[in-house]
Amino acid sequence: MRTHAFMALLFAAGLLGALPYLYAPSQASEQILPAAPYSPSNTASAAAYNTTLFISLAVAATVFIYLVMRYRKFFKAFIAAIWLLVIVGVFWAYDLKYYSCGLLPDWAAEALFYAPFAVAPAVIYAILKARLDQAVAVFSALAGTMVVWILPPLTVLALLAALPVYDLVMVYWGLLGRIVRKAKESAPLQPPAGGPREPPLMGLMARVGEVSVGTGDFFAYTAAITFIGIKFSQYGLIPSLAAMALGLVLIYAGFLLTVRLLLRRFGYAPALPIPMALVMPLLLL
């Protein structure tokens, strides 16, 4: 994926996330998507509980991936199952949200409900067989918008503040760094003749230029841009678009700094701390 496509994807996903709030603010603000097992309460205690639960699940998933990645067939089956859940969840979340806001007619909402069962096999094949990074990036980004719709605002802010810390610790002192190093060691030095280049952790990373970016990074970047778009939607379309564009610039500036300051020095780097630090003041406005 080229850099301009990466930026366009983040902005487009953020815009799709903010669109219901720009088109029908009152309907969009209603909680129609199930939040369980997370608390739908917009309180500090609920934010602490939700963030702890989210990070705990992320740690558990990381441990599981570390344990099973040596078993290639089982690992691929696990990744396929995760992507199936993500794809179905994204389709259904957009279906419910857009239909409730009057953005979809009845026939389109019904078609979108059944669409993932036709789309998911092709997308999973594209991710696991064709090594299509764009599919990884698109659905990771759309999942970021979905989570902003589901979780209350305080939880989203807490999560966007906690994830960079988790990313930093897990990459340099935890299992994420070990997983990346292990995946790089086991990957072939050269791709098969005529075949696509495989990212270090196939199915969970996508290349942006020559840099491998994790699904969680696409998720967090888009969640931040969506949150900004929704927050500024109360001022109208132009302020919301301008705020999202500023957020995108800050995230991309942090991404470039990460590549130049950390990646080139250590060979791998957490992609969230610097971008999220730069965009956080805009999230808190």
Side-chain angles (χ1 to χ4, degrees):
M1 174 181 288
R2 297 182 182 274
T3 301
H4 65 270
F6 167 62
M7 295 185 68
L9 170 62
L10 296 182
F11 189 82
L15 181 58
L16 288 173
L19 184 58
Y21 295 83
L22 291 165
Y23 183 80
S26 58
Q27 292 92 329
S29 299
E30 296 177 5
Q31 183 66 36
I32 63 165
L33 299 175
Y38 299 98
S39 170
S41 176
N42 192 34
T43 62
S45 59
Y49 164 78
N50 290 338
T51 302
T52 301
L53 177 59
F54 191 99
I55 297 296
S56 298
L57 292 174
V59 170
T62 303
V63 172
F64 186 78
I65 289 171
Y66 181 76
L67 293 175
V68 305
M69 65 183 297
R70 71 186 67 181
Y71 308 105
R72 191 168 182 82
K73 291 184 178 180
F74 186 79
F75 175 72
K76 282 190 173 183
F78 172 72
I79 297 300
I82 293 297
W83 278 115
L84 176 62
L85 293 175
V86 170
I87 293 165
V88 171
V90 164
F91 268 90
W92 285 359
Y94 272 82
D95 191 9
L96 288 171
K97 193 72 169 181
Y98 273 50
Y99 181 71
S100 70
C101 295
L103 288 165
L104 288 178
D106 291 347
W107 64 268
E110 186 174 359
L112 200 60
F113 180 84
Y114 293 104
F117 300 107
V119 173
V123 172
I124 292 171
Y125 177 85
I127 291 173
L128 297 182
K129 295 294 185 180
R131 311 291 195 264
L132 189 62
D133 287 357
Q134 290 85 343
V136 173
V138 167
F139 280 96
S140 299
L142 293 178
T145 68
M146 177 181 69
V147 164
V148 176
W149 290 343
I150 293 173
L151 298 179
L154 277 179
T155 294
V156 176
L157 280 174
L159 195 58
L160 291 176
L163 282 176
V165 178
Y166 164 82
D167 195 28
L168 179 66
V169 172
M170 289 294 281
V171 166
Y172 284 137
W173 300 285
L175 282 182
L176 280 177
R178 293 184 183 181
I179 288 173
V180 172
R181 290 194 298 270
K182 188 175 180 180
K184 284 185 175 182
E185 290 170 1
S186 61
L189 295 177
Q190 296 294 333
R197 297 181 64 184
E198 182 174 316
L201 199 55
M202 181 270 300
L204 296 175
M205 303 186 85
R207 287 191 181 277
V208 177
E210 293 300 316
V211 180
S212 291
V213 180
T215 54
D217 303 322
F218 288 102
F219 171 92
Y221 294 159
T222 308
I225 294 172
T226 301
F227 185 86
I228 291 167
I230 292 173
K231 188 170 187 177
F232 284 86
S233 64
Q234 60 184 309
Y235 303 110
L237 175 63
I238 301 303
S240 181
L241 291 177
M244 283 192 290
L246 177 58
L248 178 64
V249 170
L250 292 172
I251 288 172
Y252 184 60
F255 180 79
L256 290 180
L257 287 173
T258 299
V259 171
R260 294 174 182 177
L261 297 179
L262 299 178
L263 184 62
R264 291 179 180 175
R265 180 177 179 181
F266 298 105
Y268 57 92
L272 291 183
I274 299 178
M276 290 297 106
L278 292 180
V279 80
M280 188 56 68
L282 188 58
L283 293 169
L284 295 174
L285 277 180

